[in-house]
Coordinates of all heavy atoms in Angstrom, one line a residue:
M1 N -37.9 -0.2 -42.3 CA -38.1 -1.0 -41.1 C -36.8 -1.6 -40.6 O -36.5 -1.6 -39.4 CB -39.1 -2.1 -41.4 CG -39.4 -3.0 -40.2 SD -40.4 -2.0 -39.0 CE -41.1 -3.2 -38.1
T2 N -35.9 -2.0 -41.5 CA -34.6 -2.5 -41.1 C -33.8 -1.5 -40.4 O -33.1 -1.7 -39.4 CB -33.9 -3.1 -42.3 OG1 -34.7 -4.1 -42.9 CG2 -32.5 -3.6 -41.9
R3 N -33.9 -0.2 -40.9 CA -33.1 0.9 -40.3 C -33.6 1.1 -38.9 O -32.8 1.4 -38.0 CB -33.3 2.1 -41.1 CG -32.6 3.3 -40.5 CD -32.7 4.5 -41.4 NE -31.4 4.7 -41.9 CZ -31.1 5.6 -42.8 NH1 -32.1 6.3 -43.4 NH2 -29.9 5.8 -43.3
L4 N -34.9 1.1 -38.6 CA -35.5 1.3 -37.3 C -35.0 0.2 -36.4 O -34.6 0.5 -35.2 CB -37.0 1.3 -37.4 CG -37.8 1.4 -36.0 CD1 -37.3 2.7 -35.3 CD2 -39.2 1.4 -36.2
I5 N -35.0 -1.0 -36.8 CA -34.6 -2.1 -36.0 C -33.1 -2.0 -35.6 O -32.7 -2.1 -34.5 CB -34.8 -3.5 -36.6 CG1 -36.3 -3.7 -36.7 CG2 -34.2 -4.6 -35.9 CD1 -36.7 -4.9 -37.5
S6 N -32.3 -1.6 -36.6 CA -30.9 -1.4 -36.4 C -30.6 -0.2 -35.3 O -29.8 -0.3 -34.5 CB -30.1 -1.0 -37.7 OG -30.2 -2.1 -38.5
T7 N -31.4 0.8 -35.5 CA -31.3 2.0 -34.5 C -31.7 1.5 -33.1 O -31.0 1.9 -32.2 CB -32.2 3.1 -35.0 OG1 -31.8 3.5 -36.3 CG2 -32.1 4.3 -34.1
L8 N -32.8 0.7 -33.0 CA -33.2 0.2 -31.7 C -32.2 -0.7 -31.1 O -31.9 -0.6 -29.9 CB -34.6 -0.5 -31.8 CG -35.8 0.4 -32.1 CD1 -37.0 -0.4 -32.3 CD2 -36.0 1.4 -31.0
A9 N -31.6 -1.5 -31.9 CA -30.5 -2.4 -31.4 C -29.3 -1.6 -30.9 O -28.7 -1.9 -29.9 CB -30.1 -3.4 -32.5
L10 N -28.9 -0.6 -31.7 CA -27.8 0.3 -31.3 C -28.1 1.0 -29.9 O -27.3 1.0 -29.0 CB -27.5 1.3 -32.3 CG -26.4 2.3 -32.0 CD1 -25.1 1.6 -31.8 CD2 -26.3 3.3 -33.1
C11 N -29.3 1.5 -29.8 CA -29.7 2.2 -28.6 C -29.7 1.2 -27.4 O -29.4 1.6 -26.3 CB -31.1 2.8 -28.7 SG -31.2 4.2 -29.8
A12 N -30.0 0.0 -27.6 CA -30.0 -1.0 -26.5 C -28.6 -1.3 -26.1 O -28.3 -1.7 -24.9 CB -30.7 -2.3 -27.0
L13 N -27.6 -1.1 -26.9 CA -26.2 -1.4 -26.6 C -25.5 -0.2 -25.9 O -24.5 -0.4 -25.2 CB -25.4 -1.7 -27.9 CG -25.7 -3.1 -28.5 CD1 -25.0 -3.2 -29.8 CD2 -25.5 -4.2 -27.6
I14 N -26.1 1.0 -26.0 CA -25.4 2.2 -25.4 C -25.2 2.0 -23.9 O -24.1 2.2 -23.4 CB -26.2 3.4 -25.8 CG1 -25.9 3.7 -27.3 CG2 -25.7 4.6 -25.0 CD1 -26.7 4.8 -27.8
P15 N -26.2 1.6 -23.1 CA -26.0 1.4 -21.7 C -24.9 0.4 -21.4 O -24.1 0.5 -20.5 CB -27.4 1.0 -21.1 CG -28.3 1.5 -22.1 CD -27.6 1.4 -23.5
F16 N -24.9 -0.7 -22.2 CA -23.8 -1.7 -22.0 C -22.5 -1.1 -22.2 O -21.5 -1.3 -21.4 CB -24.1 -2.9 -23.0 CG -23.0 -3.9 -22.9 CD1 -22.9 -4.7 -21.8 CD2 -22.0 -3.9 -23.9 CE1 -21.8 -5.7 -21.7 CE2 -21.0 -4.9 -23.8 CZ -20.9 -5.7 -22.7
A17 N -22.3 -0.3 -23.3 CA -21.0 0.3 -23.5 C -20.6 1.2 -22.4 O -19.4 1.3 -22.0 CB -21.0 1.0 -24.9
A18 N -21.5 2.0 -21.9 CA -21.2 2.9 -20.8 C -20.8 2.2 -19.5 O -20.0 2.7 -18.7 CB -22.4 3.8 -20.5
S19 N -21.3 1.0 -19.3 CA -21.0 0.3 -18.1 C -19.9 -0.8 -18.3 O -19.6 -1.6 -17.5 CB -22.2 -0.4 -17.5 OG -22.7 -1.3 -18.4
A20 N -19.2 -0.8 -19.5 CA -18.3 -1.8 -19.8 C -17.0 -1.7 -19.0 O -16.3 -2.7 -18.9 CB -18.0 -1.7 -21.3
A21 N -16.7 -0.6 -18.5 CA -15.5 -0.4 -17.7 C -15.6 -1.3 -16.4 O -16.6 -1.4 -15.8 CB -15.2 1.0 -17.3
T22 N -14.5 -1.9 -16.0 CA -14.4 -2.7 -14.8 C -14.5 -1.8 -13.6 O -14.1 -0.6 -13.7 CB -13.2 -3.5 -14.8 OG1 -12.0 -2.7 -14.7 CG2 -13.1 -4.4 -16.0
E23 N -14.8 -2.4 -12.5 CA -14.8 -1.6 -11.2 C -13.4 -1.1 -10.9 O -13.2 0.0 -10.4 CB -15.4 -2.4 -10.1 CG -15.5 -1.7 -8.8 CD -16.5 -0.5 -8.9 OE1 -17.5 -0.5 -9.6 OE2 -16.2 0.6 -8.2
E24 N -12.4 -2.0 -11.2 CA -11.0 -1.6 -11.0 C -10.6 -0.4 -11.9 O -9.9 0.5 -11.4 CB -10.1 -2.7 -11.3 CG -10.2 -3.9 -10.4 CD -11.3 -4.8 -10.7 OE1 -11.9 -4.8 -11.8 OE2 -11.7 -5.6 -9.7
A25 N -11.1 -0.3 -13.1 CA -10.8 0.9 -14.0 C -11.5 2.1 -13.4 O -10.9 3.2 -13.4 CB -11.4 0.6 -15.4
W26 N -12.7 2.0 -12.9 CA -13.4 3.2 -12.3 C -12.6 3.6 -11.0 O -12.5 4.8 -10.7 CB -14.8 2.9 -12.0 CG -15.7 3.0 -13.2 CD1 -16.4 1.9 -13.7 CD2 -15.9 4.1 -14.1 NE1 -17.1 2.4 -14.8 CE2 -16.8 3.7 -15.1 CE3 -15.4 5.4 -14.1 CZ2 -17.2 4.5 -16.1 CZ3 -15.8 6.2 -15.1 CH2 -16.7 5.8 -16.1
D27 N -12.2 2.6 -10.2 CA -11.4 3.0 -9.0 C -10.1 3.7 -9.4 O -9.7 4.7 -8.7 CB -11.0 1.7 -8.2 CG -12.2 1.1 -7.5 OD1 -13.3 1.8 -7.4 OD2 -12.1 -0.1 -7.1
Q28 N -9.4 3.3 -10.4 CA -8.2 3.9 -10.9 C -8.5 5.3 -11.4 O -7.8 6.3 -11.1 CB -7.5 3.1 -12.0 CG -6.2 3.7 -12.4 CD -5.2 3.8 -11.3 OE1 -4.9 2.8 -10.6 NE2 -4.6 5.0 -11.0
F29 N -9.6 5.5 -12.1 CA -10.0 6.8 -12.6 C -10.3 7.8 -11.4 O -9.7 8.9 -11.4 CB -11.3 6.7 -13.4 CG -12.1 8.0 -13.6 CD1 -11.6 9.0 -14.4 CD2 -13.2 8.2 -12.9 CE1 -12.3 10.2 -14.6 CE2 -13.9 9.4 -13.0 CZ -13.4 10.4 -13.9
R30 N -11.0 7.3 -10.4 CA -11.2 8.2 -9.2 C -10.0 8.5 -8.5 O -9.8 9.6 -8.1 CB -12.3 7.5 -8.3 CG -13.7 7.5 -8.9 CD -14.7 6.9 -7.9 NE -14.7 5.5 -7.8 CZ -15.4 4.7 -8.6 NH1 -16.2 5.2 -9.6 NH2 -15.4 3.4 -8.4
A31 N -9.0 7.6 -8.4 CA -7.8 7.8 -7.8 C -6.9 8.8 -8.6 O -6.3 9.7 -8.0 CB -7.0 6.5 -7.6
D32 N -7.0 8.7 -9.9 CA -6.3 9.7 -10.8 C -6.8 11.1 -10.6 O -6.1 12.1 -10.5 CB -6.4 9.3 -12.2 CG -5.6 8.0 -12.5 OD1 -4.8 7.6 -11.7 OD2 -5.8 7.4 -13.6
V33 N -8.2 11.2 -10.6 CA -8.8 12.5 -10.4 C -8.4 13.1 -9.0 O -8.0 14.3 -8.9 CB -10.3 12.5 -10.5 CG1 -11.0 13.8 -10.2 CG2 -10.7 12.1 -12.0
Q34 N -8.5 12.2 -8.0 CA -8.1 12.6 -6.6 C -6.7 13.2 -6.5 O -6.5 14.3 -6.0 CB -8.3 11.4 -5.7 CG -7.8 11.6 -4.3 CD -8.7 12.4 -3.4 OE1 -9.9 12.3 -3.6 NE2 -8.2 13.1 -2.4
T35 N -5.8 12.4 -7.1 CA -4.4 12.8 -7.1 C -4.1 14.1 -7.8 O -3.5 15.0 -7.3 CB -3.5 11.7 -7.7 OG1 -3.7 10.5 -6.9 CG2 -2.0 12.1 -7.7
A36 N -4.7 14.2 -9.0 CA -4.5 15.4 -9.9 C -5.1 16.7 -9.2 O -4.5 17.7 -9.2 CB -5.1 15.2 -11.3
C37 N -6.3 16.5 -8.7 CA -6.9 17.7 -8.1 C -6.3 18.1 -6.7 O -6.1 19.3 -6.4 CB -8.4 17.4 -7.9 SG -9.3 17.3 -9.5
A38 N -5.9 17.1 -6.0 CA -5.2 17.4 -4.7 C -3.9 18.1 -4.9 O -3.5 19.0 -4.2 CB -5.0 16.1 -3.9
A39 N -3.2 17.8 -6.0 CA -1.9 18.5 -6.4 C -2.1 19.9 -6.7 O -1.2 20.7 -6.5 CB -1.3 17.7 -7.5
L40 N -3.3 20.3 -7.2 CA -3.6 21.7 -7.6 C -4.2 22.5 -6.4 O -4.4 23.7 -6.5 CB -4.6 21.7 -8.8 CG -4.0 21.1 -10.1 CD1 -5.1 21.1 -11.1 CD2 -2.8 21.8 -10.5
A41 N -4.6 21.8 -5.4 CA -5.3 22.5 -4.2 C -4.3 23.5 -3.5 O -3.1 23.2 -3.5 CB -5.8 21.5 -3.2
P42 N -4.8 24.5 -2.9 CA -4.0 25.4 -2.2 C -3.2 24.7 -1.1 O -3.7 23.6 -0.6 CB -5.0 26.4 -1.5 CG -6.2 26.3 -2.4 CD -6.2 24.9 -2.9
E43 N -2.1 25.1 -0.7 CA -1.2 24.4 0.2 C -1.6 24.6 1.7 O -1.2 23.8 2.6 CB 0.2 24.8 0.0 CG 0.7 24.2 -1.4 CD 2.2 24.5 -1.6 OE1 2.9 24.8 -0.7 OE2 2.6 24.4 -2.8
D44 N -2.2 25.7 2.0 CA -2.5 26.0 3.4 C -3.9 25.5 3.8 O -4.8 25.3 3.0 CB -2.4 27.5 3.7 CG -3.3 28.3 2.9 OD1 -3.5 28.0 1.7 OD2 -3.8 29.4 3.4
G45 N -4.1 25.2 5.1 CA -5.3 24.7 5.6 C -5.5 23.2 5.3 O -4.7 22.5 4.8
Q46 N -6.7 22.7 5.7 CA -7.0 21.3 5.5 C -7.8 21.2 4.2 O -8.6 22.0 3.8 CB -7.9 20.8 6.6 CG -7.2 20.7 7.9 CD -8.1 20.1 9.0 OE1 -9.3 20.4 9.1 NE2 -7.6 19.1 9.8
I47 N -7.4 20.2 3.4 CA -8.0 20.0 2.0 C -8.8 18.7 2.0 O -8.4 17.7 2.5 CB -6.9 19.9 1.0 CG1 -6.1 21.2 1.0 CG2 -7.5 19.7 -0.4 CD1 -6.8 22.5 0.6
L48 N -10.0 18.8 1.4 CA -10.8 17.6 1.1 C -11.2 17.7 -0.4 O -11.6 18.7 -0.9 CB -12.1 17.6 1.9 CG -13.1 16.5 1.6 CD1 -12.6 15.1 2.0 CD2 -14.4 16.8 2.2
V49 N -10.9 16.6 -1.1 CA -11.3 16.5 -2.5 C -12.4 15.4 -2.6 O -12.3 14.3 -2.3 CB -10.1 16.0 -3.3 CG1 -10.5 15.9 -4.8 CG2 -8.9 17.0 -3.2
E50 N -13.6 15.9 -3.1 CA -14.7 15.1 -3.3 C -14.9 14.8 -4.8 O -15.3 15.7 -5.5 CB -16.0 15.8 -2.7 CG -17.2 15.0 -2.8 CD -18.5 15.7 -2.3 OE1 -18.4 16.9 -2.0 OE2 -19.5 15.1 -2.2
V51 N -14.6 13.6 -5.2 CA -14.5 13.2 -6.6 C -15.9 12.7 -7.0 O -16.5 11.8 -6.4 CB -13.5 12.1 -6.9 CG1 -13.5 11.7 -8.3 CG2 -12.1 12.6 -6.5
N52 N -16.4 13.2 -8.1 CA -17.6 12.7 -8.7 C -17.3 11.3 -9.2 O -16.3 11.1 -9.9 CB -18.1 13.6 -9.9 CG -19.4 13.0 -10.5 OD1 -19.3 12.2 -11.4 ND2 -20.5 13.6 -10.1
P53 N -18.1 10.3 -8.9 CA -17.7 8.9 -9.2 C -17.4 8.5 -10.7 O -16.6 7.7 -10.9 CB -18.9 8.0 -8.7 CG -19.7 8.9 -7.8 CD -19.4 10.3 -8.2
F54 N -18.1 9.2 -11.6 CA -17.9 8.8 -13.0 C -17.6 10.0 -13.9 O -17.1 9.8 -15.0 CB -19.1 8.1 -13.5 CG -19.5 6.9 -12.7 CD1 -20.5 6.9 -11.8 CD2 -18.7 5.7 -12.8 CE1 -20.8 5.8 -11.0 CE2 -19.0 4.6 -12.0 CZ -20.1 4.7 -11.1
G55 N -17.9 11.2 -13.5 CA -17.6 12.4 -14.4 C -18.6 12.4 -15.6 O -19.7 11.8 -15.5
S56 N -18.2 13.0 -16.6 CA -18.9 13.1 -17.8 C -18.2 12.2 -18.9 O -17.2 11.6 -18.6 CB -19.1 14.5 -18.4 OG -17.8 15.0 -18.8
E57 N -18.7 12.2 -20.1 CA -18.0 11.4 -21.1 C -16.5 11.8 -21.3 O -15.7 10.9 -21.5 CB -18.8 11.6 -22.5 CG -18.2 10.8 -23.6 CD -19.0 10.9 -24.9 OE1 -20.2 11.3 -24.8 OE2 -18.4 10.7 -25.9
K58 N -16.2 13.1 -21.2 CA -14.9 13.6 -21.5 C -14.1 14.0 -20.3 O -12.9 14.1 -20.3 CB -14.9 14.7 -22.5 CG -15.4 14.3 -23.9 CD -15.4 15.5 -24.8 CE -16.0 15.1 -26.2 NZ -16.0 16.2 -27.1
Y59 N -14.8 14.3 -19.2 CA -14.1 14.9 -18.0 C -14.5 14.2 -16.7 O -15.6 13.8 -16.5 CB -14.5 16.4 -17.9 CG -14.2 17.2 -19.2 CD1 -15.1 17.5 -20.1 CD2 -12.9 17.6 -19.4 CE1 -14.8 18.2 -21.3 CE2 -12.5 18.3 -20.5 CZ -13.5 18.6 -21.5 OH -13.1 19.2 -22.6
G60 N -13.5 14.2 -15.8 CA -13.8 13.9 -14.4 C -14.0 15.2 -13.7 O -13.6 16.3 -14.2
A61 N -14.6 15.2 -12.6 CA -14.9 16.4 -11.8 C -14.8 16.1 -10.3 O -15.0 15.0 -9.8 CB -16.3 16.9 -12.1
A62 N -14.3 17.2 -9.6 CA -14.2 17.1 -8.2 C -14.5 18.5 -7.6 O -14.2 19.5 -8.2 CB -12.9 16.6 -7.7
I63 N -15.0 18.5 -6.4 CA -15.1 19.7 -5.6 C -14.0 19.6 -4.6 O -13.8 18.6 -3.9 CB -16.5 19.8 -4.9 CG1 -17.6 19.8 -5.9 CG2 -16.5 21.1 -4.0 CD1 -19.0 19.8 -5.3
V64 N -13.2 20.7 -4.5 CA -12.1 20.8 -3.6 C -12.5 21.8 -2.5 O -12.9 22.9 -2.8 CB -10.8 21.2 -4.3 CG1 -9.7 21.4 -3.3 CG2 -10.5 20.3 -5.4
Y65 N -12.4 21.3 -1.2 CA -12.7 22.2 -0.1 C -11.4 22.5 0.6 O -10.6 21.6 0.8 CB -13.6 21.4 0.9 CG -15.0 21.0 0.3 CD1 -15.1 19.7 -0.3 CD2 -16.1 21.9 0.3 CE1 -16.3 19.3 -0.8 CE2 -17.3 21.5 -0.2 CZ -17.4 20.2 -0.8 OH -18.6 19.8 -1.3
Q66 N -11.3 23.8 1.0 CA -10.1 24.2 1.8 C -10.6 24.9 3.1 O -11.2 25.9 3.0 CB -9.3 25.2 1.0 CG -8.1 25.8 1.7 CD -7.5 27.0 1.1 OE1 -8.2 27.7 0.3 NE2 -6.3 27.3 1.3
Q67 N -10.3 24.3 4.2 CA -10.7 24.8 5.5 C -9.5 25.6 6.1 O -8.4 25.0 6.3 CB -11.1 23.7 6.4 CG -11.6 24.3 7.8 CD -12.8 25.1 7.7 OE1 -13.8 24.6 7.2 NE2 -12.8 26.3 8.2
T68 N -9.6 26.9 6.3 CA -8.6 27.7 6.9 C -9.2 28.4 8.1 O -10.4 28.3 8.4 CB -8.0 28.7 6.0 OG1 -9.0 29.6 5.6 CG2 -7.4 28.0 4.7
D69 N -8.3 29.1 8.9 CA -8.9 29.9 10.0 C -9.9 30.9 9.5 O -10.8 31.3 10.2 CB -7.7 30.6 10.7 CG -6.8 29.6 11.4 OD1 -7.3 28.5 11.7 OD2 -5.6 29.9 11.7
A70 N -9.7 31.4 8.3 CA -10.6 32.4 7.7 C -12.0 31.8 7.2 O -12.9 32.5 7.0 CB -10.0 33.1 6.5
G71 N -12.1 30.5 7.1 CA -13.3 29.9 6.7 C -13.1 28.8 5.7 O -12.0 28.3 5.5
L72 N -14.2 28.4 5.0 CA -14.2 27.3 4.0 C -14.3 27.9 2.6 O -15.2 28.6 2.3 CB -15.4 26.4 4.3 CG -15.5 25.2 3.4 CD1 -14.4 24.2 3.7 CD2 -16.9 24.6 3.6
D73 N -13.3 27.5 1.8 CA -13.3 27.9 0.4 C -13.6 26.6 -0.4 O -13.3 25.5 0.0 CB -11.9 28.5 -0.1 CG -11.7 29.9 0.4 OD1 -12.7 30.6 0.6 OD2 -10.5 30.2 0.7
R74 N -14.3 26.8 -1.6 CA -14.6 25.7 -2.5 C -14.1 26.0 -3.9 O -14.1 27.2 -4.3 CB -16.1 25.6 -2.6 CG -16.8 25.2 -1.3 CD -18.3 25.5 -1.3 NE -18.4 26.9 -1.5 CZ -19.4 27.5 -2.2 NH1 -20.4 26.8 -2.7 NH2 -19.5 28.8 -2.4
Y75 N -13.6 25.0 -4.5 CA -13.1 25.1 -5.9 C -13.7 24.0 -6.7 O -14.1 22.9 -6.1 CB -11.6 24.9 -5.9 CG -10.8 25.8 -5.0 CD1 -10.7 25.6 -3.6 CD2 -10.1 26.9 -5.5 CE1 -10.0 26.5 -2.8 CE2 -9.4 27.8 -4.6 CZ -9.4 27.6 -3.3 OH -8.7 28.4 -2.5
V76 N -13.7 24.1 -8.0 CA -14.1 23.0 -8.9 C -12.8 22.6 -9.7 O -12.1 23.4 -10.2 CB -15.2 23.5 -9.9 CG1 -15.4 22.4 -10.9 CG2 -16.4 23.9 -9.2
C77 N -12.6 21.3 -9.7 CA -11.5 20.7 -10.4 C -12.0 19.9 -11.6 O -12.9 19.1 -11.3 CB -10.6 19.9 -9.5 SG -9.2 19.2 -10.3
I78 N -11.5 20.2 -12.7 CA -11.9 19.4 -13.9 C -10.7 18.6 -14.4 O -9.6 19.2 -14.6 CB -12.4 20.4 -15.0 CG1 -13.6 21.2 -14.5 CG2 -12.8 19.6 -16.3 CD1 -14.8 20.5 -14.1
Y79 N -11.0 17.3 -14.7 CA -9.9 16.4 -15.1 C -10.2 15.9 -16.5 O -11.3 15.3 -16.8 CB -9.9 15.2 -14.2 CG -8.9 14.2 -14.5 CD1 -7.5 14.3 -14.1 CD2 -9.2 13.0 -15.2 CE1 -6.6 13.3 -14.4 CE2 -8.3 12.1 -15.5 CZ -7.0 12.2 -15.1 OH -6.0 11.2 -15.3
D80 N -9.4 16.2 -17.5 CA -9.5 15.8 -18.9 C -9.1 14.3 -19.0 O -8.0 14.0 -18.7 CB -8.7 16.7 -19.8 CG -8.8 16.4 -21.3 OD1 -8.9 15.2 -21.7 OD2 -9.0 17.3 -22.0
K81 N -10.1 13.5 -19.3 CA -9.8 12.0 -19.3 C -8.8 11.6 -20.3 O -7.9 10.8 -20.1 CB -11.1 11.2 -19.5 CG -12.1 11.3 -18.3 CD -13.4 10.5 -18.7 CE -14.3 10.5 -17.5 NZ -15.5 9.8 -17.8
Q82 N -8.9 12.3 -21.5 CA -7.9 11.9 -22.6 C -6.5 12.4 -22.3 O -5.6 11.7 -22.4 CB -8.5 12.4 -23.9 CG -7.6 12.0 -25.1 CD -8.2 12.4 -26.4 OE1 -9.2 13.0 -26.5 NE2 -7.5 12.1 -27.5
A83 N -6.4 13.7 -21.9 CA -5.1 14.3 -21.7 C -4.5 13.9 -20.3 O -3.4 14.1 -20.0 CB -5.2 15.8 -21.7
Q84 N -5.4 13.4 -19.4 CA -5.0 13.0 -18.1 C -4.4 14.2 -17.3 O -3.3 14.1 -16.7 CB -4.1 11.8 -18.0 CG -4.8 10.5 -18.6 CD -3.9 9.3 -18.5 OE1 -2.7 9.4 -18.6 NE2 -4.6 8.2 -18.5
A85 N -5.0 15.3 -17.5 CA -4.6 16.6 -16.8 C -5.7 17.3 -16.2 O -6.9 17.2 -16.7 CB -3.9 17.5 -17.9
A86 N -5.5 18.0 -15.1 CA -6.5 18.7 -14.4 C -6.3 20.2 -14.4 O -5.2 20.7 -14.5 CB -6.6 18.1 -13.0
E87 N -7.4 20.9 -14.2 CA -7.4 22.4 -13.9 C -8.3 22.6 -12.8 O -9.3 21.9 -12.5 CB -7.9 23.1 -15.2 CG -7.0 23.0 -16.4 CD -7.6 23.9 -17.5 OE1 -8.5 24.7 -17.3 OE2 -7.1 23.7 -18.7
I88 N -8.0 23.7 -12.0 CA -8.8 24.1 -10.9 C -9.3 25.5 -11.0 O -8.5 26.4 -11.5 CB -8.1 23.8 -9.6 CG1 -9.0 23.8 -8.4 CG2 -6.9 24.8 -9.4 CD1 -8.4 23.3 -7.1
T89 N -10.5 25.8 -10.6 CA -11.0 27.2 -10.6 C -10.4 28.0 -9.5 O -9.8 27.5 -8.5 CB -12.5 27.2 -10.5 OG1 -12.9 26.8 -9.2 CG2 -13.2 26.4 -11.6
L90 N -10.7 29.3 -9.5 CA -10.5 30.1 -8.3 C -11.5 29.8 -7.3 O -12.5 29.2 -7.7 CB -10.5 31.6 -8.7 CG -9.4 32.1 -9.6 CD1 -9.7 33.6 -10.0 CD2 -8.1 32.0 -9.0
A91 N -11.3 30.2 -6.1 CA -12.3 29.8 -5.0 C -13.6 30.6 -5.3 O -13.7 31.7 -5.8 CB -11.8 30.3 -3.7
F92 N -14.7 29.9 -5.0 CA -16.0 30.5 -5.0 C -16.1 31.5 -3.9 O -15.6 31.2 -2.8 CB -17.1 29.4 -4.8 CG -17.5 28.7 -6.1 CD1 -16.7 27.6 -6.5 CD2 -18.6 29.0 -6.9 CE1 -17.0 26.9 -7.6 CE2 -18.9 28.3 -8.0 CZ -18.1 27.2 -8.4
P93 N -16.7 32.6 -4.1 CA -16.9 33.6 -3.0 C -17.8 32.9 -1.9 O -18.7 32.2 -2.2 CB -17.6 34.8 -3.6 CG -17.9 34.4 -5.0 CD -17.3 33.1 -5.3
A94 N -17.5 33.3 -0.7 CA -18.4 32.8 0.4 C -19.8 33.3 0.2 O -20.1 34.3 -0.4 CB -17.9 33.4 1.8
A95 N -20.8 32.5 0.7 CA -22.2 32.8 0.5 C -22.5 34.2 1.1 O -22.0 34.6 2.2 CB -23.0 31.8 1.2
G96 N -23.2 35.0 0.4 CA -23.6 36.3 0.9 C -22.6 37.4 0.4 O -22.9 38.6 0.7
N97 N -21.5 37.1 -0.3 CA -20.6 38.1 -0.7 C -20.8 38.4 -2.2 O -21.1 37.6 -3.0 CB -19.1 37.6 -0.5 CG -18.8 37.6 0.9 OD1 -19.4 38.2 1.7 ND2 -17.7 36.8 1.2

């Protein structure tokens, strides 16, 4: 019974631990992902980086849009929270290709 109570108490603390970061820390995280992903984006055309507000436990994520005369390309950017480094995919093929 004691083990069950301890497990329930631990489960009750998990949401608290996940939300323990300050709003300023989350803002800095989003800015870091934005900066890292924008630096990897193609240089031509207009670029928009849409950052996922929190990412996953280990990674931040963003969708990078590139608008050129040829159309709209989309990329996925993954940001390693621990290493503070990002990688970007190749462009997704246009719909219907």
Side-chain angles (χ1 to χ4, degrees):
M1 184 67 161
T2 302
R3 176 179 253 170
L4 177 60
I5 293 171
S6 297
T7 302
L8 291 174
L10 178 61
C11 290
L13 291 175
I14 290 173
F16 174 75
S19 65
T22 65
E23 187 59 35
E24 291 81 17
W26 284 118
D27 288 344
Q28 184 61 54
F29 162 73
R30 289 186 281 272
D32 292 346
V33 174
Q34 171 79 30
T35 299
C37 292
L40 296 174
E43 294 183 13
D44 57 326
Q46 291 183 316
I47 301 297
L48 171 69
V49 179
E50 182 181 9
V51 177
N52 181 277
F54 303 104
S56 68
E57 182 178 336
K58 295 181 182 180
Y59 301 99
I63 300 172
V64 178
Y65 300 93
Q66 175 196 26
Q67 181 68 54
T68 65
D69 293 338
L72 181 68
D73 286 330
R74 298 162 299 147
Y75 304 80
V76 173
C77 181
I78 302 298
Y79 179 84
D80 184 314
K81 291 179 178 180
Q82 184 173 0
Q84 297 182 334
E87 294 183 13
I88 195 168
T89 65
L90 294 174
F92 279 80
N97 290 342

